[in-house]
Amino acid sequence: MTNPPHVLLVDDSAEIRKAVARYLEKNDMRVTSAVDAAQMDDLLKVGRYDLIVLDVMMPGEDGISVCRRLSAKGSAPILMLTALGEEMDRIIGLEVGADDYLPKPFNPRELLARIKAILRRAQKPKALAGSLTGSRVRFADWTLETDTRRLVAADGREDVLTTSEFKLLTILLERPRIIMSREQLFDLSVGRIPAAFDRTIDNQISRLRRKIEDNPGRPKIITTVRNGGYCLATDVEVKQ
């Protein structure tokens, strides 16, 4: 069973956010919402999204600026929501990297159809290591070779990670010194929200600690943050 597409909806209108989220979720999509660019940036730090629905007119940084910035980083595909009749917004949006646009007010069915079309065009096999694919990643006294999943210590000791261990470690390596909740880690590694009392992430963290920590009982690399989650508490160096 494939994971449903995860859409990040950025719009300052609470009415639009609720209506769009409700409709897309009824049509087998996951939706996370942000009220402005600042909240969007926070969500992008800890989440992975298949598509961004982005309003042009927002308080603070506007949608055109956001689109230009995200496109320069090679972000997820972007569908822009523009004011009816604002042709220049649509032209500029496409010029700075938007994949499509839809003028307000819009029919939710058309929005869904456009999202599906963009996802079909953008669909590519996703590398397990995310942005670290093909890299050698150094952290603490370890080097992770992402092509082989080999974990090599400074003294030459080696270990090969399981698929789940490798996925979780690369998620943390992509976000050094950022506190990640159990729910966020589960979402990124599995693609859904965990059930109540699910200890999957805690168990995987324990296994990783046994492999990379000098003293797993007093971890210094993957630390526990009380009422927060976990954090990779070391710098990361990526070499291609």
Side-chain angles (χ1 to χ4, degrees):
M1 184 175 180
T2 58
N3 294 322
H6 195 175
V7 175
L8 176 57
L9 172 63
V10 189
D11 197 302
D12 62 310
S13 168
E15 183 179 350
I16 289 177
R17 291 196 308 272
K18 291 179 182 178
V20 169
R22 188 182 306 116
Y23 187 82
L24 294 182
E25 287 167 353
K26 285 183 179 179
N27 285 274
D28 302 320
M29 293 190 179
R30 300 172 56 217
V31 180
T32 299
S33 298
V35 300
D36 56 18
Q39 188 175 20
M40 176 203 73
D41 287 338
D42 288 340
L43 291 169
L44 287 173
K45 289 178 183 176
V46 296
R48 188 171 292 147
Y49 303 92
D50 299 292
L51 182 139
I52 300 171
V53 176
L54 178 64
D55 186 27
V56 170
M57 299 298 295
M58 297 186 296
E61 186 179 10
D62 64 67
I64 296 295
S65 173
V66 171
C67 183
R68 181 184 291 109
R69 175 164 60 85
L70 293 181
S71 296
K73 297 179 180 179
S75 74
I78 297 172
L79 188 157
M80 300 202 71
L81 302 178
T82 67
L84 183 64
E86 293 296 331
E87 183 178 4
M88 189 54 64
D89 283 346
R90 297 195 289 273
I91 293 172
I92 294 175
L94 294 173
E95 287 177 344
V96 299
D99 294 83
D100 201 353
Y101 66 86
L102 188 62
K104 294 179 178 181
F106 53 84
N107 187 313
R109 291 183 63 182
E110 182 176 3
L111 174 64
L112 177 64
R114 287 176 181 266
I115 288 174
K116 287 183 175 179
I118 293 172
L119 291 175
R120 284 195 299 269
R121 293 197 298 267
Q123 193 171 22
K124 298 177 183 177
K126 291 188 177 179
L128 191 62
S131 64
L132 301 178
T133 298
S135 304
R136 298 176 73 246
V137 187
R138 293 182 179 178
F139 65 102
D141 292 325
W142 295 92
T143 297
L144 175 65
E145 299 178 354
T146 59
D147 282 350
T148 62
R149 301 188 198 175
R150 284 199 316 155
L151 195 59
V152 184
D155 61 7
R157 287 180 294 120
E158 295 186 10
D159 205 335
V160 177
L161 301 175
T162 66
T163 299
S164 59
E165 290 169 350
F166 178 74
K167 180 66 173 176
L168 182 58
L169 180 58
T170 55
I171 289 169
L172 291 168
L173 290 171
E174 287 179 316
R175 300 162 178 83
R177 302 191 184 280
I178 293 178
I179 299 171
M180 305 285 292
S181 70
R182 291 171 177 81
E183 291 75 16
Q184 288 167 338
L185 290 170
F186 194 96
D187 184 20
L188 288 169
S189 60
V190 181
R192 59 181 174 83
I193 302 300
F197 309 112
D198 192 311
R199 304 292 294 177
T200 299
I201 294 299
D202 302 283
N203 293 334
Q204 290 178 359
I205 291 290
S206 294
R207 290 199 298 270
L208 278 175
R209 283 172 169 168
R210 286 196 291 271
K211 293 186 175 184
I212 67 175
E213 299 279 2
D214 290 336
N215 182 352
R218 299 174 68 93
K220 294 182 179 180
I221 301 174
I222 303 177
T223 59
T224 300
V225 181
R226 187 175 182 181
N227 298 324
Y230 297 104
C231 177
L232 186 80
T234 184
D235 293 330
V236 172
E237 180 183 2
V238 180
K239 293 191 174 183
Q240 298 298 327

